[in-house]
Amino acid sequence: MSAYITLDLERILKEILQVVKPQQDDRSTRLQVINELQGVVESVESLRGATAEPFGSFVSNLFTRWGDLDISIDLPNGAYISSAGKKRKQNLLVDFQKALRKMGGWRRIKYIPNARVPILKFESSRQSISCDISIDNLQGQMKSKLLFWISEIDERFRDMVLLVKEWAKAHDINNPKSGTFNSYSLSLLVIFHFQTCEPAILPPLRDIYAGNVADDLQGVRANVERHIAETCAANIHRFRQNRTRKVNRSSLSELFRSFLAKFSDIGLRASELGICPYTGKWEYIRSNMRWLPKTYAIFIEDPFEQPENSARTVSMGNLTRVSEAFERSRRTLNSADQNRGSLLATLVPPQVSQYIERAAPLRSPTYNGGCYHPQPTRPQVYRNMHMPSQTRHQFQNMRLETPQTQHQFQNMTVETRSNNSTVTRPVQANHNQGQQRWRARSDR
């Protein structure tokens, strides 16, 4: 592989990241939507005391500028984890749907009651942000936090997830509705790649949390979340401080190429082997009683909800197309005949490619109804954002702390709700009494 080809790909990947990474305004817009949804929740009698809590890519910090919002309406249940049945969740979503229509400001409302997790899909009219609402989705919230903590082990993980998502969209294999990958399974593929490259960048996820998170979410919520967070903090710190492990210094372009190569024959492997981020290994399906009988085209085990298959949406008919996308992209990126246009066509959807070619790195797009609209602003590096103090929803930090304070959460105070559950609230920033630092929610 020539140094020129590698450098050219590395430069283009950085350009793509500069375009797709969210800016401060993107976070601010999503927080505004969350606040508005909290207002809708408070207008529904059957949801009295409930809160609208984000999860998914927004909380794990793996979202792009045009990413959707996943929201869980958390029902009050004192200090204990709520466990509403599916029928009750369906009824509450119907109540919420009626309130959305009554209040206005929301469009493309679609209720999906018979999904594995009942959801309500819609879009905010003013901000054009697509939303998925579910009830008591604590599993989703904890998975999001775990992905966020994992991303802090190595910054290349977040970059790779964003790049893989755009690549998958370019090849139309990031759409569970049409029988291909959801974004969560793509993130797990990146984790698995980082576990199995040489030397490994990430450990088997059992070395971070040895239990099954989904099974452990019962009892006093503050205690459960604290236990998971402290366990992960200690194990991540142990992994990072291990002086004997070899350090992987691969560039993004090298990691991206090896990612495509690793899964280019996935169509053949999937008939016998499952992908297991929990152990960090390919596992023979016939030897894993948890996965039998095999009823899926490809098996990517959810490490936090074993033995669920995160890739259950991938159909047998689309598995060949998925495998071809990996192999075709691998050949293109390794070809000496490649040019900038062919690279961009392989790596990102046409809208993003056109924008990069037209606007170069000094502009950033907004996304509205499928169209990218350039803005004359320089992309901003990721930083903690500030929001007006009157903003109702408090989006708080989940960052696992430094070794000296890894079992504590800095800049937090604990409040008691009227239902006796506890929530953490951020301390007011000293340098600006008119603003607060808003961080991802973390009940403790």
Side-chain angles (χ1 to χ4, degrees):
M1 185 63 57
S2 73
Y4 173 78
I5 291 176
T6 299
L7 288 174
D8 196 38
L9 177 59
E10 189 76 18
R11 182 168 56 251
I12 290 176
L13 292 178
K14 294 295 177 62
E15 286 184 41
I16 293 169
L17 288 171
Q18 192 174 32
V19 167
V20 303
K21 281 186 175 180
Q23 296 185 23
Q24 212 165 11
D25 286 348
D26 300 304
R27 293 181 174 82
S28 175
T29 298
R30 282 161 178 77
L31 289 174
Q32 290 171 357
V33 173
I34 295 167
N35 286 327
E36 291 171 9
L37 289 173
Q38 178 62 37
V40 179
V41 169
E42 292 172 0
S43 73
V44 180
E45 178 62 28
S46 60
L47 293 174
R48 179 179 295 181
T51 57
E53 305 294 350
F55 67 100
S57 61
F58 183 51
V59 168
S60 62
N61 199 30
L62 300 177
F63 73 107
T64 61
R65 298 205 61 202
W66 39 88
D68 297 347
L69 260 180
D70 294 298
I71 303 291
S72 169
I73 299 178
D74 287 3
L75 305 178
N77 192 37
Y80 291 87
I81 292 172
S82 179
S83 56
K86 188 169 185 177
K87 183 62 177 178
R88 187 184 178 207
K89 291 180 179 180
Q90 291 170 336
N91 292 337
L92 291 174
L93 286 176
V94 169
D95 292 346
F96 188 82
Q97 179 183 30
K98 293 176 181 176
L100 279 181
R101 296 188 185 279
K102 181 178 180 180
M103 296 186 73
W106 312 93
R107 63 193 180 199
R108 299 177 183 171
I109 301 173
K110 184 178 181 181
Y111 175 42
I112 308 176
N114 295 320
R116 180 169 171 263
V117 176
I119 59 173
L120 184 65
K121 303 176 74 72
F122 53 90
E123 184 177 291
S124 60
S125 300
R126 185 161 58 91
Q127 299 96 342
S128 297
I129 300 292
S130 295
C131 304
D132 287 358
I133 290 273
S134 52
I135 303 291
D136 273 345
N137 200 337
L138 182 56
Q139 286 186 17
Q141 294 175 61
M142 288 308 303
K143 290 177 187 180
S144 305
K145 292 178 184 180
L146 284 153
L147 288 179
F148 178 82
W149 296 333
I150 290 167
S151 73
E152 293 211 315
I153 296 176
D154 193 295
E155 64 182 8
R156 290 172 293 180
F157 173 69
R158 180 188 179 221
D159 288 347
M160 272 290 291
V161 169
L162 298 184
L163 291 169
V164 166
K165 284 183 179 180
E166 292 304 308
W167 166 80
K169 290 173 186 174
H171 297 271
D172 195 25
I173 59 171
N174 183 201
N175 188 352
K177 294 178 184 177
S178 63
T180 56
F181 291 119
N182 57 41
S183 293
Y184 181 57
S185 60
L186 289 173
S187 298
L188 293 180
L189 281 182
V190 175
I191 287 177
F192 188 76
H193 178 48
F194 276 36
Q195 292 170 329
T196 53
C197 57
E198 292 290 343
I201 299 172
L202 294 176
L205 295 191
R206 65 184 176 189
D207 292 351
I208 293 178
Y209 190 78
N212 193 0
V213 173
D215 291 341
D216 294 342
L217 295 179
Q218 51 187 320
V220 178
R221 177 166 178 165
N223 294 344
V224 171
E225 293 194 0
R226 184 182 298 112
H227 167 72
I228 294 173
E230 291 179 351
T231 300
C232 292
N235 289 331
I236 287 173
H237 174 60
R238 185 179 299 113
F239 174 76
R240 297 182 70 173
Q241 294 301 309
N242 182 2
R243 304 297 182 185
T244 64
R245 71 180 178 94
K246 296 179 180 179
V247 178
N248 186 310
R249 303 190 186 280
S250 299
S251 65
L252 270 179
S253 56
E254 291 168 336
L255 288 170
F256 196 87
R257 277 201 179 95
S258 58
F259 173 82
L260 296 175
K262 183 169 295 178
F263 299 113
S264 61
D265 62 348
I266 191 64
L268 296 175
R269 288 199 183 201
S271 62
E272 293 186 351
L273 296 170
I275 294 167
C276 189
Y278 185 72
T279 63
K281 298 178 181 178
W282 297 92
E283 302 275 0
Y284 280 99
I285 296 172
R286 65 176 180 269
S287 301
N288 194 327
M289 296 304 296
R290 296 179 306 172
W291 295 352
L292 294 175
K294 182 182 183 296
T295 57
Y296 299 105
I298 181 173
F299 209 105
I300 305 175
E301 186 178 52
D302 187 334
F304 312 124
E305 192 180 357
Q306 308 153 41
E308 290 297 327
N309 180 14
S310 69
R312 58 186 172 274
T313 58
V314 180
S315 66
M316 191 64 70
N318 280 317
L319 182 57
T320 300
R321 188 160 63 87
V322 167
S323 190
E324 289 174 349
F326 276 102
E327 173 58 19
R328 186 170 58 251
S329 299
R330 184 193 68 81
R331 290 198 306 267
T332 299
L333 297 193
N334 289 336
S335 171
D337 297 329
Q338 66 181 325
N339 55 48
R340 181 180 174 83
S342 64
L343 281 175
L344 284 173
T346 297
L347 295 169
V348 294
Q351 301 95 326
V352 180
S353 176
Q354 292 166 12
Y355 178 79
I356 292 173
E357 291 282 56
R358 182 175 67 250
L362 292 184
R363 290 172 174 261
S364 297
T366 57
Y367 184 73
N368 187 342
C371 300
Y372 294 81
H373 303 282
Q375 299 292 326
T377 57
R378 184 181 299 272
Q380 302 173 34
V381 298
Y382 171 61
R383 58 177 63 90
N384 287 331
M385 64 170 295
H386 291 74
M387 287 288 288
S389 59
Q390 66 268 26
T391 304
R392 208 168 27 213
H393 182 86
Q394 305 201 350
F395 191 62
Q396 302 139 355
N397 192 22
M398 305 167 305
R399 184 164 283 111
L400 296 182
E401 301 304 332
T402 57
Q404 294 79 10
T405 58
Q406 65 185 20
H407 297 306
Q408 302 174 10
F409 296 83
Q410 298 174 338
N411 300 323
M412 295 286 179
T413 60
V414 178
E415 296 179 2
T416 301
R417 288 178 173 161
S418 58
N419 59 9
N420 293 324
S421 62
T422 58
V423 292
T424 51
R425 299 300 185 199
V427 175
Q428 184 76 23
N430 292 330
H431 65 280
N432 190 336
Q433 295 302 316
Q435 292 182 324
Q436 282 186 325
R437 182 165 304 212
W438 299 94
R439 302 179 184 273
R441 178 184 183 277
S442 179
D443 281 2
R444 295 289 174 261

